[in-house]
Amino acid sequence: NVEILRGAERIKAEEDMHIEQGDTIVTGDDGIAVIEYVDKSVTRLSPKTELKIKKVEEVAEEKPKTEVAVELTQGRVWTQVVDEEDDTEDVEIKVETKDIVASTSDSASFDVQQEEGEEKVQVAVFDNKVEVSIPEEEPQEDDRKQFVEEGFTFEVEEKQPQVLEIEETIETAEDELWVNLNTVEDIEFIEEVKEDKVLHDVAEEP
């Protein structure tokens, strides 16, 4: 079961459905969903997850850029950002929770977990690095921002931040299954993107 909350409507999700800014995607106890962005990057939602599309905006610069911001209010999402060096368009993807903001403009894979009712949120990085920050009521300089490298988790529990090795934060068989499934999905997805790019390049040849 996967639903889209759009204003006062509750819409049953369908394959290849177009998602709009302001929509909230809700997965049930047995529901999973994959959001594909304009640059082919993806966010995968686990069961019992609620994710709002806060922002999808084209920014006019020398090189066009798409800025995406999503807000995780409960559950777990895995985001894989694809950034080809010769792409004609840049993308920045930001995953927000009440305690942490994780963002990247480079190729990366990272997992964000925010369990409902728990004062703990985690950002685990599985490929490259991701910038994380703790939102302040009164924004200051970048002293609350840092990069989390591949193999590490940035965790905030009861407002106390710490960086741990990923192995220390995989506590259950469900955690391990989620990580293993998404790691395999990442490999397969990258191969698909490469194949699509080759076909596109061949089609454009005179």
Side-chain angles (χ1 to χ4, degrees):
N1 183 38
V2 180
E3 292 184 318
I4 310 299
L5 308 185
R6 182 173 294 163
E9 292 185 276
R10 297 184 73 94
I11 306 166
K12 184 173 176 59
E14 298 178 358
E15 190 172 355
D16 296 328
M17 182 178 183
H18 179 71
I19 303 300
E20 301 175 1
Q21 183 170 292
D23 286 352
T24 297
I25 298 92
V26 181
T27 58
D29 292 350
D30 61 348
I32 58 173
V34 181
I35 303 170
E36 183 175 311
Y37 304 112
V38 292
D39 73 316
K40 300 301 182 183
S41 297
V42 296
T43 292
R44 306 186 190 102
L45 286 69
S46 74
K48 304 178 186 177
T49 292
E50 187 170 309
L51 185 77
K52 181 175 182 178
I53 310 298
K54 288 185 65 176
K55 177 183 179 183
V56 180
E57 184 175 299
E58 295 282 348
V59 180
E61 296 179 346
E62 284 187 20
K63 187 177 182 181
K65 181 179 180 181
T66 300
E67 295 181 353
V68 175
V70 296
E71 181 179 8
L72 178 66
T73 54
Q74 70 177 56
R76 192 169 194 172
V77 295
W78 182 293
T79 298
Q80 182 180 26
V81 181
V82 179
D83 179 37
E84 299 289 342
E85 291 184 1
D86 58 349
D87 272 357
T88 57
E89 184 172 342
D90 283 335
V91 65
E92 179 184 39
I93 294 181
K94 185 181 296 184
V95 180
E96 304 176 5
T97 73
K98 66 177 182 178
D99 293 318
I100 289 179
V101 177
S103 64
T104 183
S105 298
D106 299 319
S107 293
S109 292
F110 62 100
D111 178 51
V112 182
Q113 185 173 189
Q114 170 76 69
E115 295 301 332
E116 185 182 21
E118 290 189 11
E119 291 297 317
K120 181 169 76 171
V121 60
Q122 296 177 334
V123 178
V125 181
F126 291 86
D127 180 50
N128 207 349
K129 61 184 178 181
V130 172
E131 183 182 83
V132 297
S133 60
I134 300 176
E136 297 280 1
E137 291 183 6
E138 297 181 6
Q140 303 172 4
E141 295 296 323
D142 291 348
D143 56 348
R144 301 285 281 177
K145 293 183 178 181
Q146 69 181 87
F147 282 100
V148 178
E149 302 284 342
E150 178 179 331
F152 291 90
T153 297
F154 186 88
E155 177 181 285
V156 175
E157 186 169 10
E158 296 181 349
K159 304 298 182 182
Q160 298 299 314
Q162 61 179 329
V163 177
L164 306 166
E165 291 190 10
I166 283 178
E167 288 77 6
E168 297 179 61
T169 61
I170 299 178
E171 300 175 346
T172 67
E174 187 178 3
D175 289 336
E176 188 172 3
L177 177 62
W178 173 253
V179 169
N180 289 341
L181 284 173
N182 279 284
T183 300
V184 172
E185 288 284 345
D186 280 358
I187 294 169
E188 293 177 352
F189 188 71
I190 287 293
E191 288 301 315
E192 288 178 11
V193 170
K194 287 180 179 178
E195 288 177 9
D196 288 345
K197 185 177 185 306
V198 169
L199 291 172
H200 181 266
D201 291 345
V202 170
E204 286 195 340
E205 288 181 2

